[in-house]
Amino acid sequence: MRPVSEQTRVAVLGAGGRMGAAVCDAVRGAADLELVAALHRTDAVSDAVAAGASVAVDFTVPGVTEANVHALVDAGVHAVVGATGWTGESLDRVREHLDGAPGVSVLVAPNFALGAVLAMSFAAQAARWFESAEVVELHHPDKVDAPSGTARHTAAAIAGARAAAGLGVMPDATASGLEGARGADVDGVRVHSVRLRGLVAHEEILLGNPGEQLTVRHDSFDRTSFMPGVLLAVRQAASRPGLTVGLEHLLGLG
Amino acid sequence: MRPVSEQTRVAVLGAGGRMGAAVCDAVRGAADLELVAALHRTDAVSDAVAAGASVAVDFTVPGVTEANVHALVDAGVHAVVGATGWTGESLDRVREHLDGAPGVSVLVAPNFALGAVLAMSFAAQAARWFESAEVVELHHPDKVDAPSGTARHTAAAIAGARAAAGLGVMPDATASGLEGARGADVDGVRVHSVRLRGLVAHEEILLGNPGEQLTVRHDSFDRTSFMPGVLLAVRQAASRPGLTVGLEHLLGLG
Amino acid sequence: MRPVSEQTRVAVLGAGGRMGAAVCDAVRGAADLELVAALHRTDAVSDAVAAGASVAVDFTVPGVTEANVHALVDAGVHAVVGATGWTGESLDRVREHLDGAPGVSVLVAPNFALGAVLAMSFAAQAARWFESAEVVELHHPDKVDAPSGTARHTAAAIAGARAAAGLGVMPDATASGLEGARGADVDGVRVHSVRLRGLVAHEEILLGNPGEQLTVRHDSFDRTSFMPGVLLAVRQAASRPGLTVGLEHLLGLG
Amino acid sequence: MRPVSEQTRVAVLGAGGRMGAAVCDAVRGAADLELVAALHRTDAVSDAVAAGASVAVDFTVPGVTEANVHALVDAGVHAVVGATGWTGESLDRVREHLDGAPGVSVLVAPNFALGAVLAMSFAAQAARWFESAEVVELHHPDKVDAPSGTARHTAAAIAGARAAAGLGVMPDATASGLEGARGADVDGVRVHSVRLRGLVAHEEILLGNPGEQLTVRHDSFDRTSFMPGVLLAVRQAASRPGLTVGLEHLLGLG
């Protein structure tokens, strides 16, 4: 066991939620991290500062998270943020705030599953080399939106890579059939949403050329899959000042 | 090598087409079969009879195949028919004709790939035991219809099995999103069509229950995949008088 | 809601184990079943009888389960048995006992996941139609045996179906390489065991012919996947006197 | 159509082989390339020079290819080399030769399928982030070695990435079972070889973490899959002087 002095002191905001509780467990289970505060929604962010946290993980809710981050930056505490609902404007406000707080870091990530982030990166790296590319996402049937946000981001990344490489429209001779068979159109990339009892969250990217197919698939079986990404962000917080959006920047990918 | 007397004498109608030519090759390569006539579209069916064929394989075209079959039945030659375009009425006419031709057999099959036929049978056998079921079919991008006929048949078979077992509507909480994301609706079963350069013809049936998934997938890489089914039909022709629709009846499935 | 009088009275033996506890939950959640006794290992089987159970589900341990079943048969209570460790001899003893207990039923099943049972049945139905067949099973890395019992049963079923159909050895030109690359040999069928953190229990059966592949895959994500099979066995217990080994006989498969 | 003056003049060595013939077709089909010489094994390399080729594609055989490359370098013709049998020493000799031939390029690639090269790169990028990693390769049953060279390279790349990241041995509690079930061991990475009639060349890389799986799969359906990679190498030949080993360097990957 490492001496206490080497441990990074971590606070968790939104510790009462399912993700927050999982983060608390993960921090407790990591020998190089110490959980110094597990705050619920109604607790003050200053409690994290008072507890001596050097990094705070925020898994609260859209209406609260932005104020939390600004309070943390003011106190010189690095923030790792998993809450959804961030817009370009709210990110701009954090970026500006960080300009006046040298050395402090904020990481905002829509997805902490390493595998999902890698899959999206691989899709973007591969897209320019293939004639065809489609996305199939598969989720439990209680999901209310289709396609998933991850699949839309992936399709948009594929479309961007194709455009940058000067690729045109994908081949598709479909002339007749049933409505919806060819899926949703996201920037010219077809996305198909399967809803199946028993599933959690899965995504498959299919790329095709004459005589070959490349497939990248990510399966999320439960929320423990997010913990390695959260801990990675906590550990890199001190060495990555400023605003970082997306876990992919921590993975040293191409 | 077996003595000639044991070989079944086979004629191929539509031998100039790609499927017909492949059938000729397959018959030539089978020790228990003898190719006695390879007829083109403009040849008379009577040439097959004159050549002493006991079974004729017809891979001609919709406008011609029905007349061919009636001529074969009149001559007492068993028919194995792969041409598309058969309706319920044309099948009824053949069934009636066969009533007056005891011992003669006609098999009409929309698909001769054993794997595809098995996949459809398995989907139908499994469907009543699962809460959710969807179909994903994947083809080359030059295909003009979506979904494929095979996928539509498979979805209809799933829907039929669910109805027979008293299952209701599948769970699906989708409330927002993009048009087409959830695929086409075939009798309440969702069907998704992927079009990808490099592919040939592929179908995946996904079935889900709490905590488990069952997947049946068939890949057709080229038309040689149809030959084992064609030869099976030729070999069983003499022992299966009357009209048979669908290769599944030759496979002894549940 | 059905009247109470129509409910089947169910006892669970081994209710303190993880499977037993899940069965208790599943019975409680079923409108047509009533949980009348949840017995731990040290409780007497007579408590289930005293509670008026008409069906008892036994998820105890190898050393106990056989005596439980004989006590249940003596009392005229149907038994659904999920415990492992049954041999041909212990099954014979139950069969004999049931000869003198008309109307009483015992079902012993090594696997209650409907999807796994269907996958194995489909493998056996399809095997005779393909030149090649192999099995890949994938599990969490804490599993101590390789291959899994399910994969061995599946491979043996494939080998049996091939032998019954007169098929010979599968094609395999492998002449050089690394030891173990071609997997384990189960009656001539190759079985490959993948061990991967994050997985639970998965099996894939691959069948190949010229130009086509048929794949059947089952994924078990957690033990809730066994509950539909257990409830099905409970519901059919009264109508299936005698000994039944294997859930497949309750599914009306070919 | 571009003016002739912009076309790159290409010679093909080994044009009588199946790969060489496919390259000839691919060059003929590319508007920006002109096929100026299609040489058979017995033709002199000087014929390519005499025909004014600026790039030569060599798909000859191990005993011939090295001498071809040196002759091409002497003549100032760029070489794209797909022949196997290159050793570290033969590559060193070419590298030395190129030191004295500024501006001339040689690309030697063991695999020209873009998808296969991408799959291997993705495996190497992802490996350091996962607890478990295994490789499954699937080929037609006429293949004589197991595992495939590509799978061995992929496994070695995974092992290298794990070692560089300081990862230890993968979790595996296997204590009993059948010989070979856990596959071949390549630097601590398990590799499984499936042989199935109907398949061509396929590779699947499986990576696992708690709660998640990442899968990268490449399917080669026929040798047309190598042509985009060959043409890419031809087009980049003039701008990439010196020796390049492996197509991945042309893809701008991480």
Side-chain angles (χ1 to χ4, degrees):
Chain A
M1 182 131 181
R2 306 184 186 197
V4 168
S5 61
E6 282 191 27
Q7 290 183 311
T8 300
R9 298 172 66 83
V10 181
V12 174
L13 281 57
R18 290 192 300 185
M19 277 297 290
V23 174
C24 290
D25 285 347
V27 171
R28 277 192 205 99
D32 60 333
L33 306 179
E34 187 189 359
L35 183 68
V36 297
L39 305 182
H40 289 242
R41 270 198 236 173
T42 49
D43 296 330
V45 175
S46 56
D47 291 357
V49 181
S54 66
V55 183
V57 180
D58 182 299
F59 271 101
T60 55
V61 289
V64 175
T65 183
E66 188 178 349
N68 286 354
V69 169
H70 285 287
L72 291 165
V73 172
D74 279 331
V77 176
H78 308 301
V80 171
V81 186
T84 52
W86 286 79
T87 63
E89 287 79 35
S90 32
L91 290 172
D92 283 344
R93 284 190 289 267
V94 171
R95 198 177 282 111
E96 232 172 86
H97 192 167
L98 284 167
D99 285 346
V104 181
S105 76
V106 174
L107 173 100
V108 178
N111 195 331
F112 278 97
L114 294 176
V117 173
L118 289 164
M120 202 180 302
S121 166
F122 296 162
Q125 290 181 56
R128 61 173 298 192
W129 303 110
F130 286 86
E131 261 191 63
S132 306
E134 303 205 0
V135 177
V136 181
E137 54 94 344
L138 311 94
H139 281 84
H140 58 85
D142 303 324
K143 187 171 178 61
V144 293
D145 55 321
S148 69
T150 300
R152 291 170 84 144
H153 282 124
T154 305
I158 290 169
R162 290 178 63 93
L167 299 187
V169 172
M170 293 185 223
D172 182 2
T174 310
S176 68
L178 299 180
E179 214 181 295
R182 290 286 291 116
D185 183 321
V186 175
D187 300 351
V189 178
R190 295 289 170 165
V191 180
H192 311 268
S193 299
V194 174
R195 295 295 172 260
L196 215 65
R197 179 68 72 211
L199 294 185
V200 182
H202 314 258
E203 187 188 33
E204 203 164 272
I205 301 127
L206 309 170
L207 301 130
N209 260 352
E212 71 169 336
Q213 185 183 353
L214 179 67
T215 308
V216 178
R217 179 180 173 117
H218 180 251
D219 296 278
S220 238
F221 300 121
D222 66 47
R223 78 179 61 85
T224 61
S225 66
F226 300 114
M227 295 309 119
V230 171
L231 298 192
L232 178 73
V234 167
R235 286 171 179 134
Q236 293 199 7
S239 60
R240 198 173 275 280
L243 177 65
T244 305
V245 179
L247 198 66
E248 58 273 26
H249 302 287
L250 281 62
L251 300 182
L253 300 173
Chain B
M1 182 123 183
R2 306 185 186 196
V4 168
S5 62
E6 281 189 28
Q7 289 183 313
T8 300
R9 299 173 65 85
V10 182
V12 175
L13 282 57
R18 289 191 302 185
M19 278 295 292
V23 173
C24 290
D25 286 347
V27 171
R28 277 190 206 101
D32 60 331
L33 306 179
E34 187 190 1
L35 183 68
V36 297
L39 306 181
H40 289 240
R41 270 199 235 175
T42 48
D43 295 330
V45 176
S46 57
D47 291 357
V49 181
S54 67
V55 184
V57 181
D58 181 298
F59 272 100
T60 56
V61 289
V64 174
T65 181
E66 189 180 347
N68 285 353
V69 169
H70 285 286
L72 291 165
V73 172
D74 279 332
V77 176
H78 308 300
V80 171
V81 185
T84 53
W86 285 79
T87 64
E89 288 77 35
S90 33
L91 291 172
D92 283 345
R93 285 190 288 268
V94 170
R95 196 176 282 114
E96 231 172 89
H97 192 167
L98 283 167
D99 284 345
V104 180
S105 77
V106 173
L107 173 100
V108 178
N111 195 331
F112 278 97
L114 293 175
V117 173
L118 288 164
M120 202 179 303
S121 167
F122 295 164
Q125 290 181 55
R128 60 171 299 191
W129 303 110
F130 287 87
E131 261 189 65
S132 307
E134 303 204 0
V135 177
V136 181
E137 55 93 344
L138 312 94
H139 282 83
H140 59 85
D142 303 324
K143 187 172 178 61
V144 293
D145 55 323
S148 67
T150 299
R152 291 170 83 143
H153 281 124
T154 304
I158 290 170
R162 288 179 63 93
L167 298 186
V169 173
M170 293 185 222
D172 183 0
T174 310
S176 68
L178 298 180
E179 216 181 293
R182 291 287 290 115
D185 183 321
V186 176
D187 300 350
V189 178
R190 295 289 170 163
V191 181
H192 311 269
S193 300
V194 173
R195 296 293 172 261
L196 215 65
R197 180 68 72 210
L199 294 184
V200 181
H202 316 258
E203 187 189 32
E204 202 163 272
I205 300 127
L206 309 171
L207 301 131
N209 260 351
E212 70 167 337
Q213 185 181 353
L214 180 65
T215 308
V216 177
R217 180 179 172 116
H218 180 252
D219 296 277
S220 238
F221 301 120
D222 67 46
R223 78 178 62 85
T224 61
S225 66
F226 300 114
M227 295 309 120
V230 171
L231 298 193
L232 178 72
V234 167
R235 286 170 179 137
Q236 293 198 8
S239 61
R240 199 173 276 280
L243 177 65
T244 304
V245 179
L247 199 65
E248 58 272 28
H249 302 288
L250 282 61
L251 301 181
L253 299 174
Chain C
M1 181 126 181
R2 306 185 185 194
V4 169
S5 62
E6 281 190 27
Q7 289 184 312
T8 300
R9 299 172 66 83
V10 182
V12 174
L13 282 56
R18 291 193 297 187
M19 278 295 291
V23 173
C24 289
D25 286 348
V27 171
R28 276 191 208 100
D32 60 333
L33 306 178
E34 186 189 2
L35 183 68
V36 296
L39 305 182
H40 289 241
R41 270 198 233 173
T42 49
D43 295 331
V45 175
S46 56
D47 292 357
V49 182
S54 66
V55 184
V57 181
D58 182 300
F59 271 100
T60 56
V61 290
V64 175
T65 182
E66 189 180 347
N68 285 353
V69 169
H70 285 286
L72 291 166
V73 172
D74 278 332
V77 177
H78 307 301
V80 171
V81 186
T84 53
W86 286 80
T87 63
E89 288 79 34
S90 33
L91 291 172
D92 283 344
R93 284 190 289 268
V94 170
R95 198 176 281 113
E96 233 173 85
H97 193 167
L98 284 167
D99 285 345
V104 181
S105 77
V106 173
L107 173 101
V108 178
N111 197 329
F112 278 97
L114 293 176
V117 173
L118 289 164
M120 201 179 304
S121 167
F122 295 163
Q125 290 181 56
R128 61 173 299 191
W129 303 110
F130 287 87
E131 261 191 63
S132 306
E134 302 204 2
V135 177
V136 181
E137 54 93 346
L138 313 94
H139 281 83
H140 58 85
D142 302 325
K143 188 172 177 59
V144 294
D145 56 321
S148 69
T150 300
R152 290 170 84 144
H153 281 125
T154 305
I158 290 169
R162 290 178 63 93
L167 298 187
V169 172
M170 294 183 221
D172 182 1
T174 310
S176 67
L178 298 180
E179 214 180 295
R182 290 287 290 116
D185 183 320
V186 176
D187 300 351
V189 178
R190 295 289 170 164
V191 180
H192 311 268
S193 299
V194 174
R195 295 294 171 262
L196 216 65
R197 180 69 71 210
L199 294 184
V200 181
H202 315 258
E203 188 188 32
E204 203 163 272
I205 300 127
L206 309 170
L207 301 131
N209 259 353
E212 71 167 338
Q213 185 181 354
L214 179 65
T215 308
V216 178
R217 179 179 173 117
H218 180 252
D219 296 277
S220 238
F221 300 120
D222 67 46
R223 78 179 62 84
T224 61
S225 65
F226 300 115
M227 295 309 118
V230 171
L231 298 193
L232 178 72
V234 167
R235 286 171 180 136
Q236 293 199 7
S239 62
R240 199 173 274 280
L243 177 66
T244 304
V245 179
L247 199 65
E248 59 273 26
H249 302 287
L250 281 61
L251 301 181
L253 300 173
Chain D
M1 179 122 185
R2 307 184 185 195
V4 168
S5 60
E6 280 191 29
Q7 289 184 311
T8 300
R9 299 172 65 84
V10 181
V12 175
L13 282 57
R18 290 192 301 184
M19 277 296 291
V23 174
C24 290
D25 286 347
V27 171
R28 276 191 207 99
D32 60 332
L33 306 179
E34 186 189 2
L35 182 69
V36 297
L39 306 182
H40 288 241
R41 270 197 234 174
T42 49
D43 294 332
V45 175
S46 56
D47 292 357
V49 181
S54 66
V55 184
V57 180
D58 181 298
F59 271 101
T60 57
V61 289
V64 175
T65 182
E66 190 180 347
N68 286 354
V69 169
H70 286 286
L72 291 165
V73 172
D74 279 332
V77 176
H78 308 300
V80 171
V81 185
T84 53
W86 285 79
T87 64
E89 288 78 36
S90 34
L91 290 172
D92 284 345
R93 283 190 290 270
V94 170
R95 197 177 282 113
E96 233 173 84
H97 193 167
L98 284 167
D99 284 345
V104 181
S105 78
V106 174
L107 174 100
V108 178
N111 195 331
F112 278 97
L114 293 176
V117 173
L118 289 164
M120 203 178 304
S121 166
F122 295 164
Q125 291 181 55
R128 60 172 300 193
W129 302 109
F130 286 86
E131 262 191 63
S132 307
E134 303 205 1
V135 177
V136 181
E137 54 93 344
L138 312 94
H139 282 83
H140 58 86
D142 302 324
K143 186 172 178 60
V144 293
D145 56 322
S148 68
T150 300
R152 290 170 84 143
H153 281 126
T154 304
I158 289 170
R162 289 179 63 93
L167 297 187
V169 172
M170 294 185 222
D172 182 1
T174 310
S176 67
L178 298 180
E179 216 181 295
R182 291 286 291 114
D185 184 321
V186 176
D187 300 351
V189 178
R190 295 290 170 165
V191 181
H192 311 268
S193 299
V194 174
R195 296 293 171 263
L196 215 66
R197 180 68 71 211
L199 293 185
V200 181
H202 315 258
E203 188 188 32
E204 202 163 275
I205 301 127
L206 309 171
L207 301 131
N209 260 352
E212 70 167 336
Q213 184 181 353
L214 180 66
T215 308
V216 178
R217 180 180 172 115
H218 180 251
D219 296 277
S220 238
F221 301 121
D222 66 47
R223 78 179 60 87
T224 61
S225 65
F226 300 114
M227 294 309 120
V230 171
L231 297 193
L232 178 71
V234 167
R235 287 169 179 138
Q236 292 198 7
S239 61
R240 200 172 275 279
L243 177 65
T244 303
V245 179
L247 199 65
E248 58 272 28
H249 303 287
L250 282 61
L251 301 181
L253 298 174

